[in-house]
Amino acid sequence: MGSSIYWCRVDAESFKKYLKADDKFDKLEQQLYEKYQATFDADMDRFNREMEEAEEGKRSFKSVKDELPIYKVVSPAEFDKWFALMRKVNSLKATSCIDRLPHLYTGSSRSKVFAQWILNRRRRNLVKCKDGRRWELRPKNEEWRIILTTADINDLIKRLESVCGKNPVDVHKAFPIYKDIIFGDSRKKFLYKQECEDIPRFAPRFLEMLKFTIKHILGDVAGPGYRHNPLVMDIYP
């Protein structure tokens, strides 16, 4: 699946707490998986084997046993900790009032352009990749959900406006390629021409929708109300 960006309006205070709790929950699940990896992997192999047999007609689908639930693998104390944290994450997610704005959805090469743009504005929150591409930077804790400030929105509008009109600037002057930030290689090697053709066609409509969102949904982005209910870029790399 290609990269994409969902734009949302959130309750800032609850959303920040939700991100911290969700990161803690992800780390706990990773720890539990590593501790019981052999058990989980063996059961997954068993499940896949039974599904293949069912698809080949060697057994009924009803006879395929579900994957082992976590409470049958971990200790009761570990499960209680996992369950309590999961409930906290779900509660904070609900109070975050995450309201997706489908008219701003961004896919294809456009998402890479916008992702690089916002990541460059968050360099203090970036770390080196853990895999072989250590020269590239990506968000700390793999946190791709980014709250936009008033300055972010104004900067994005300015850049979008610059690629529209009768005398548009070059796409890569408005949205530079940052070779050290994730997506850098793919933007440079594969998407340069596509971006140059696609972004100018896409920008006017997106700009119109963004200004509509500011006027009718977000309100005054320079006012105190926006700090409580800001816009978020939810990036799926």
Side-chain angles (χ1 to χ4, degrees):
M1 183 177 69
S3 60
S4 58
I5 298 175
Y6 291 92
W7 303 71
C8 316
R9 188 189 189 195
V10 302
D11 178 274
E13 184 177 352
S14 294
F15 187 72
K16 291 175 183 177
K17 293 178 181 178
Y18 161 62
L19 294 182
K20 290 181 180 180
D22 196 38
D23 176 55
K24 187 175 180 180
F25 183 66
D26 285 343
K27 290 180 178 178
L28 175 61
E29 284 206 316
Q30 182 63 30
Q31 291 171 0
L32 292 176
Y33 171 74
E34 291 175 354
K35 183 175 181 179
Y36 299 98
Q37 182 176 0
T39 302
F40 282 122
D41 287 352
D43 186 64
M44 177 58 71
D45 290 341
R46 186 271 313 161
F47 177 78
N48 290 335
R49 183 175 63 255
E50 290 183 1
M51 283 297 295
E52 289 179 2
E53 292 174 354
E55 290 170 355
E56 293 171 356
K58 297 180 179 179
R59 65 188 304 159
S60 69
F61 281 99
K62 291 183 179 180
S63 69
V64 177
K65 296 180 181 179
D66 291 333
E67 298 172 41
L68 277 174
I70 191 169
Y71 67 85
K72 288 189 176 181
V73 180
V74 304
S75 69
E78 289 171 327
F79 174 73
D80 287 345
K81 182 178 180 181
W82 175 87
F83 187 69
L85 190 51
M86 181 188 69
R87 291 186 64 184
K88 181 179 180 180
V89 168
N90 290 338
S91 176
L92 287 171
K93 185 176 182 179
T95 57
S96 295
C97 302
I98 301 173
D99 183 19
R100 277 192 175 182
L101 307 173
H103 57 283
L104 293 179
Y105 171 80
T106 314
S108 68
S109 61
R110 306 160 191 168
S111 64
K112 292 179 171 61
V113 172
F114 286 163
Q116 272 208 315
W117 162 76
I118 192 60
L119 291 181
N120 184 60
R121 295 177 65 85
R122 298 291 187 278
R123 282 184 175 264
R124 291 184 179 180
N125 297 329
L126 303 184
V127 295
K128 291 183 178 179
C129 293
K130 296 180 180 179
D131 56 22
R133 302 175 300 173
R134 293 184 179 277
W135 62 87
E136 287 188 349
L137 301 174
R138 64 194 302 132
K140 184 179 180 180
N141 296 325
E142 295 297 314
E143 187 49 68
W144 296 92
R145 292 163 291 191
I146 302 173
I147 296 177
L148 300 187
T149 64
T150 298
D152 292 331
I153 292 179
N154 290 336
D155 183 71
L156 179 57
I157 290 175
K158 183 178 179 181
R159 292 174 186 275
L160 288 168
E161 288 177 338
S162 71
V163 299
C164 302
K166 295 181 180 180
N167 299 302
V169 303
D170 181 80
V171 170
H172 296 102
K173 182 177 181 181
F175 296 96
I177 292 175
Y178 302 103
K179 298 179 182 178
D180 58 333
I181 293 180
I182 199 70
F183 298 138
D185 279 356
S186 59
R187 283 195 70 199
K188 180 182 177 183
K189 294 180 180 179
F190 306 113
L191 296 172
Y192 186 91
K193 182 178 179 181
Q194 184 179 346
E195 288 172 5
C196 287
E197 296 174 348
D198 186 40
I199 297 300
R201 293 195 300 264
F202 162 78
R205 179 62 176 170
F206 185 85
L207 185 60
E208 179 183 353
M209 290 294 97
L210 180 58
K211 290 182 177 179
F212 170 87
T213 301
I214 293 171
K215 182 177 180 180
H216 298 286
I217 300 177
L218 301 178
D220 181 10
V221 295
Y226 181 75
R227 289 195 293 272
H228 295 294
N229 298 110
L231 187 66
V232 167
M233 290 175 63
D234 189 359
I235 304 171
Y236 287 73

